């Protein structure tokens, strides 16, 4: 399996685990949206928490130039450690939600 396909499958598997965890409050569903052709992976929350509408992107991950870019990570403990545990080297993970000047200090790729 080539690296791109490994990254696609790894991201999808990690996010699927989170999508399968039911919310303990409200009527909120999580949807895993995968666009393998464009290498976008999103975890969306949709539903109601009491009288408040919930609709938004919990997590957005992209593969850009062979690196995994985490554009948004709203998962409680983050997904970076899960990706590393699954075999992705930290040097191939970019924390896109961090300012470029902070990235060299994160322990992950800078771009």
């Amino acid at each position: 399996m080539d690296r791109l396909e490994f990254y696609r499958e790894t991201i999808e598997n990690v996010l699927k685990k989170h999508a399968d965890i039911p919310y303990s409050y409200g009527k909120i569903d999580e949807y895993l949206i995968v666009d393998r052709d464009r290498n976008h992976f999103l975890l969306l929350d949709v539903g109601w928490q009491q009288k408040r509408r919930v609709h938004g992107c919990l997590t957005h991950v992209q593969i850009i130039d062979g690196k995994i870019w985490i554009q948004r990570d709203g998962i409680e403990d983050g997904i970076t450690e899960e990706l590393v545990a699954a075999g992705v080297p930290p040097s191939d993970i970019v924390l896109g939600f961090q300012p470029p000047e902070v990235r060299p200090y994160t322990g992950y790729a800078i771009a």
Side-chain angles (χ1 to χ4, degrees), residues 6-7 10 82-89:
F6 171 70
Y7 285 177
T10 301
E82 291 179 71
L83 293 171
V84 171
V88 177

Side-chain angles (χ1 to χ4, degrees), residues 68-86:
I68 295 175
W69 281 70
I70 302 174
Q71 303 292 12
R72 171 151 174 58
D73 191 357
I75 293 173
E76 187 172 343
D77 294 325
I79 64 167
T80 53
E81 291 301 318
E82 291 179 71
L83 293 171
V84 171

Side-chain angles (χ1 to χ4, degrees), residues 49-63:
Q49 182 179 356
Q50 296 170 348
K51 294 183 179 186
R52 186 179 74 107
R53 179 69 172 156
V54 175
H55 184 273
C57 177
L58 183 65
T59 303
H60 177 203
V61 180
Q62 283 181 274
I63 301 173

Side-chain angles (χ1 to χ4, degrees), residues 11-84:
I11 295 165
E12 192 170 343
N13 289 337
V14 167
L15 291 179
K16 185 173 181 344
K17 288 179 197 171
H18 288 280
D20 290 342
I21 300 171
Y23 267 79
S24 59
Y25 56 90
K27 171 106 176 75
I28 301 170
D29 295 315
E30 283 196 331
Y31 297 99
L32 175 59
I33 311 297
V34 176
D35 180 350
R36 283 176 164 256
D37 293 335
R38 293 174 187 85
N39 293 314
H40 284 269
F41 305 82
L42 293 102
L43 195 55
L44 297 177
D45 287 343
V46 179
W48 292 91
Q49 182 179 356
Q50 296 170 348
K51 294 183 179 186
R52 186 179 74 107
R53 179 69 172 156
V54 175
H55 184 273
C57 177
L58 183 65
T59 303
H60 177 203
V61 180
Q62 283 181 274
I63 301 173
I64 303 172
D65 296 329
K67 296 201 184 284
I68 295 175
W69 281 70
I70 302 174
Q71 303 292 12
R72 171 151 174 58
D73 191 357
I75 293 173
E76 187 172 343
D77 294 325
I79 64 167
T80 53
E81 291 301 318
E82 291 179 71
L83 293 171
V84 171

